[in-house]
Amino acid sequence: MTDLNHSTTASEQDAVFFARESFLGELKTLNRDYPNTGFGISLRTHSGEHYLLANARMPLPAAKSDGFPTGRRVASLENGDRFSSIEVMADSLAYETISPRAEAEILGNAIELIARIDTLTGIPAGGVPQEPQIAATGTGG
């Protein structure tokens, strides 16, 4: 039983590493296109591990279990193959000054980023495929 748990944990850590490496380009594009905005990505595995990835403008929490201290959820996916949730956050203070058109572009980029993370790490963790639910929200409320 310990080997199975170790195998699952190692597999999840591999997925997190692979996700980081595969979407750094997209995060750099967001940084370039919206230089005054903080962006963060929250990854939660099915075993309960929590990983946060962010650019330099996104405030980090004292403990990663607290999540990002500021920001709005731009888009999220629940119950993916590898991750129980993937969230893309944008720093709320800088994000309030962005036009509706730019907001729509960020939303599109965030959805593509989530889809890329989920697709590239999509080996079923528990063997039972679940229907993913992608939620996309604007920042207006």
Side-chain angles (χ1 to χ4, degrees), residues 102-117:
E103 181 179 326
E105 290 173 4
I106 290 172
L107 176 61
N109 290 341
I111 290 171
E112 288 177 21
L113 179 57
I114 287 173
R116 182 172 168 88
I117 292 168

Side-chain angles (χ1 to χ4, degrees), residues 58-74:
M58 186 67 165
L60 297 175
K64 67 181 173 185
S65 61
D66 295 337
F68 292 107
T70 64
R72 291 184 176 146
R73 183 181 326 156
V74 177

